[in-house]
């Protein structure tokens, strides 16, 4: 019981200020109100506004601007940034597990596992992208080659049941390939993903959620 109460208290301290994060800062949307609910008690612990169409346009435009810079990084540079994100997430693993438990209602030990697999995903993608490149074809004096190019702004949608884990699974490949991202979190469980932004933006300054 002591651990449960400690987890709940710490979770409240970590709740984000807003649902939205644009250009490395909390962004207060102008959409309808949404509430974060403590799954153990049913009590509302955070009320804020969601994003409407206008807010989404702001996020996309910002991501388009960020893409022009972020795409210029080499695969090795992008990989190193994602590896750094993995280390930062691992350093705060306990904090994120507290939030995940508050957000989803799952046992704390399961939340710890989810954070760990998120770290693993970031590390895997951050490492493999550094050896992900095009191919060279020799044609008897002539040659051809393929070049892997980022697509642009990627839209991702997060689930309610594994919010942090799935965010890492989706964000890491998109960012590693040089894209910028607009990530739509669940309107039921959103606290953990929003706190993840504060870590990713320490080193992926052009990422938009």
């Amino acid at each position: 019981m002591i651990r449960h109460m400690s987890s709940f208290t710490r979770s409240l301290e970590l709740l984000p200020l807003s649902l939205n994060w644009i250009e490395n800062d909390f962004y207060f949307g102008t959409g309808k109100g949404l509430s974060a609910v403590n799954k153990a008690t049913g009590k509302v612990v955070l009320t804020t506004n969601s994003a409407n169409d206008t807010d989404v346009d702001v996020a996309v435009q910002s991501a388009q601007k960020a893409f022009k810079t972020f795409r210029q990084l080499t695969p090795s540079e992008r990989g190193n940034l994602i590896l750094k994100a993995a280390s930062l997430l691992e350093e705060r693993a306990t904090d994120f597990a507290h939030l995940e438990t508050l957000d989803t209602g799952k046992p704390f030990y399961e939340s710890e596992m989810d954070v760990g697999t998120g770290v693993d995903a970031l590390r895997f993608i951050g490492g493999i992208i550094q050896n992900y490149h095009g191919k060279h074809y020799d044609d008897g004096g002539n040659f051809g080659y393929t070049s892997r190019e980022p697509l642009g702004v990627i839209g991702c949608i997060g689930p309610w049941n594994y919010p942090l884990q799935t965010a890492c699974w989706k964000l890491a490949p998109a960012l590693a390939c040089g894209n910028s991202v607009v990530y739509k979190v669940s309107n039921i469980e959103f606290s953990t993903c929003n706190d993840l932004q504060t870590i990713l933006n320490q080193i992926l300054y052009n990422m938009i959620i």
Side-chain angles (χ1 to χ4, degrees), residues 22-156:
I22 300 177
E23 293 194 359
N24 204 24
D25 200 2
F26 286 109
Y27 177 91
F28 293 90
T30 53
K32 67 177 183 179
L34 288 176
S35 299
V37 177
N38 174 14
K39 302 305 184 297
T41 65
K43 292 183 177 179
V44 173
V45 293
L46 172 69
T47 300
T48 185
N49 286 350
S50 62
N52 61 14
D53 293 350
T54 301
D55 301 320
V56 173
D57 287 342
V58 171
V60 172
Q61 290 168 11
S62 180
Q64 289 172 334
K65 180 176 66 176
F67 173 67
K68 295 177 182 179
T69 302
F70 193 62
R71 69 173 300 173
Q72 301 302 322
L73 298 182
T74 66
S76 179
E77 289 171 325
R78 296 194 299 265
N80 285 333
L81 291 176
I82 294 172
L83 289 173
K84 186 181 291 186
S87 295
L88 291 171
L89 179 58
E90 188 172 49
E91 289 173 8
R92 291 191 55 203
T94 301
D95 283 348
F96 277 92
H98 284 310
L99 266 181
E100 192 85 337
T101 292
L102 177 69
D103 228 6
T104 63
K106 63 179 63 178
F108 184 76
Y109 76 88
E110 287 191 17
S111 296
E112 290 180 306
M113 293 171 59
D114 290 350
V115 176
T117 55
V119 171
D120 290 343
L122 293 174
R123 286 223 168 97
F124 177 78
I125 297 298
I128 200 171
I129 193 61
Q130 302 191 43
N131 296 299
Y132 193 67
H133 46 72
K135 295 182 178 180
H136 175 272
Y137 301 91
D138 188 353
D139 190 25
N142 298 315
F143 70 90
Y145 69 92
T146 62
S147 176
R148 299 186 182 276
E149 303 289 338
L151 294 174
V153 179
I154 304 298
C156 299

